[in-house]
Amino acid sequence: MRVGCPKEIKNHEYRVGLMPGAVREYVAHGHDVIIETGAGSGIGADDDAYRAAGARIVASASDIFQKSDMVVKVKEPQPGEWTQLRDGQILYTYLHLAPDPEQTRGLLESGVTAIAYETVTDDRGGLPLLAPMSEVAGRLSIQAGATALQKANGGRGVLLGGVPGVLPAKVAIIGGGVVGLHAARMAAGLGADVAILDRSIPRLRQLDDLFGGRVHTRYSTIDALEEEVFAADLVIGAVLIPGAAAPKLVTREMLSGMKKGAVIVDVAIDQGGCFETSHATTHSDPTFEVDGVVHYCVANMPGAVPVTSAHALNNATLHYGLQLADKGLKAIAEDRHLRAGLNVHRGRVTNGPVADALGYESVAPEAVLNVA
Ligand SMILES: NC(=O)C1=CN([C@@H]2O[C@H](COP(=O)(O)OP(=O)(O)OC[C@H]3O[C@@H](n4cnc5c(N)ncnc54)[C@H](O)[C@@H]3O)[C@@H](O)[C@H]2O)C=CC1
Ligand SMILES: CC(=O)C(=O)O
Ligand SMILES: [Mg+2]
């Protein structure tokens, strides 16, 4: 199969779908790999590094889209990209379709077969292709929040850990999954007073065990949420219902109960965000203020640390990428976890929560792939 990787074009997105090490693996499996010139420049991988790994370098993204049987990317295709996709082609990348009707329509019209990294599953109930970027974004959320809390950046001017004789800042983390765990690690490590809210009691139990009492856990009712959000200096939005638009847990009205200069980092913004007042921002202009509360809502947070993120992402995507390259649609038909990643196939929406969010009929992947 011919596998192609264009340079990412989203704002300040420096990750790359295929690193030279991954290219070498595809080539070892007998595939022809084409890479857009400069695709790895954000992580210091130049064209020669890709040539040494066995790739051919092409001059433009349109060469990649025209000539590839499978396109491997990081971020969801941008408008100028989805118009270049076509029937019979496989797209393997993050998609986040539920909050993005335009992209969904574009993918449906193209006829492409699109696998969303964020809905591929594993045997333990996890999302193995999302998890590494959630680890990165969870850790980064505290760095971003700490920076935004500085007075000159619009925040209320508190230091997360406090100092001897002065109380630390309060951090409320809504959603104790992968993002929530890694945010809590960083916040607790810096000495903040941390509370994690979740709707899963087994998960709260696990977190309580992990932190040995160093963070508080709370079952997420409206009452508990209000209490923690009103008391917080920094709130991290980290909930997820896989594939679906994020539930709006913090309403605009609730902002009036928050401290002036408090900071919200809505990591769940790629699924539409869990604060009613959130809208996606970019690394060039990451924050805005509503009712005295600073909002940080960057939809590609891991793009800020591409050297770490591209390695972690390539580690996680390689296995199924090779399966897709080796077997094409048969790989999806054979593996239920990869089937869970199929969001769009030849003009049909094949993910239930995406179809529900956008008002499409949902067709099971098994039905479109003729799996018995
Ligand atoms: N902005 C960015 O750059 C990035 C965003 N993300 C996003 O971060 C979000 C979280 O991802 P993960 O931590 O990997 O998901 P996860 O599935 O590991 O964790 C989500 C948690 O939310 C909890 N939850 C669901 N509904 C809830 C509710 N009503 N109240 C409280 N908790 C609730 C679940 O029980 C679960 O523990 C996703 O939207 C993901 O796409 C991930 C990486 C980068
Ligand atoms: C998961 C995601 O949206 C990202 O890594 O950018
Ligand atoms: Mg995103």
Side-chain angles (χ1 to χ4, degrees):
M1 184 181 275
R2 182 173 295 146
V3 180
C5 176
K7 186 171 170 61
E8 292 296 314
I9 57 173
K10 195 171 171 123
N11 181 280
H12 284 280
E13 182 52 75
Y14 302 106
R15 287 171 287 179
V16 60
L18 292 176
M19 293 180 64
V23 168
R24 201 168 165 197
E25 302 278 341
Y26 281 82
V27 170
H29 278 233
H31 303 296
D32 177 21
V33 180
I34 54 175
I35 303 284
E36 182 183 350
T37 183
S41 59
I43 55 158
D46 62 14
D47 290 353
D48 281 343
Y50 280 101
R51 287 192 190 97
R56 288 185 296 126
I57 301 297
V58 300
S60 68
S62 57
D63 288 330
I64 299 287
F65 287 103
Q66 269 169 34
K67 295 175 182 164
S68 303
D69 302 305
M70 172 162 83
V71 176
V72 182
K73 272 179 53 61
V74 179
K75 290 310 293 182
E76 69 279 357
Q78 306 297 300
E81 292 179 319
W82 72 58
T83 48
Q84 299 186 66
L85 294 165
R86 58 181 156 75
D87 195 350
Q89 199 169 42
I90 295 173
L91 173 67
Y92 185 50
T93 192
Y94 287 117
L95 294 176
H96 305 293
L97 293 179
D100 195 346
E102 256 188 283
Q103 188 209 158
T104 306
R105 199 175 319 114
L107 294 185
L108 289 168
E109 282 170 5
S110 74
V112 77
T113 296
I115 314 279
Y117 292 159
E118 72 273 11
T119 64
V120 173
T121 53
D122 66 20
D123 279 333
R124 285 167 297 168
L127 302 167
L129 277 56
L130 177 63
M133 296 305 95
S134 292
E135 291 165 354
V136 172
R139 291 179 181 207
L140 264 181
S141 68
I142 300 301
Q143 293 182 197
T147 304
L149 271 171
Q150 292 174 27
K151 194 74 181 170
N153 299 328
R156 59 189 303 264
V158 293
L159 185 64
L160 283 184
V163 287
V166 181
L167 288 174
K170 280 187 183 288
V171 178
I173 300 172
I174 312 173
V178 180
V179 168
L181 167 64
H182 287 268
R185 284 225 168 107
M186 290 289 278
L190 287 170
D193 178 357
V194 183
I196 308 180
L197 299 109
D198 205 290
R199 277 277 163 112
S200 159
I201 292 172
R203 181 59 177 171
L204 291 175
R205 205 168 272 138
Q206 209 178 21
L207 290 166
D208 182 68
D209 235 23
L210 259 169
F211 284 100
R214 176 63 188 82
V215 310
H216 314 287
T217 59
R218 288 193 78 171
Y219 185 71
S220 187
T221 60
I222 299 170
D223 271 352
L225 191 78
E226 274 189 357
E227 214 175 287
E228 295 297 338
V229 166
F230 293 169
D233 300 288
L234 173 59
V235 183
I236 308 295
V239 301
L240 175 66
I241 297 159
K248 303 289 177 203
L249 299 176
V250 178
T251 61
R252 173 149 200 173
E253 206 187 333
M254 283 167 75
L255 293 192
S256 62
M258 290 182 69
K259 295 175 184 168
K260 292 294 168 217
V263 172
I264 280 170
V265 176
D266 197 351
V267 184
I269 191 65
D270 56 356
Q271 295 293 140
C274 55
F275 299 84
E276 191 184 8
T277 43
S278 293
H279 62 75
T281 59
T282 62
H283 286 293
S284 329
D285 189 10
T287 60
F288 60 94
E289 192 215 291
V290 181
D291 297 343
V293 175
V294 179
H295 292 51
Y296 174 103
C297 305
V298 174
N300 60 330
M301 293 174 68
V305 287
V307 174
T308 305
S309 302
H311 274 100
L313 181 63
N314 273 246
N315 289 345
T317 56
L318 181 64
H319 169 72
Y320 280 128
L322 288 174
Q323 298 287 311
L324 286 164
D326 290 349
K327 301 180 191 167
L329 296 185
K330 198 160 167 265
I332 313 174
E334 280 177 5
D335 187 305
R336 72 188 169 94
H337 293 305
L338 191 53
R339 280 206 300 280
L342 186 69
N343 277 218
V344 167
H345 177 65
R346 295 198 161 142
R348 314 293 296 269
V349 177
T350 52
N351 176 282
V354 169
D356 289 349
L358 297 175
Y360 287 101
E361 184 200 358
S362 171
V363 187
E366 290 76 8
V368 294
L369 295 168
N370 297 319
V371 176

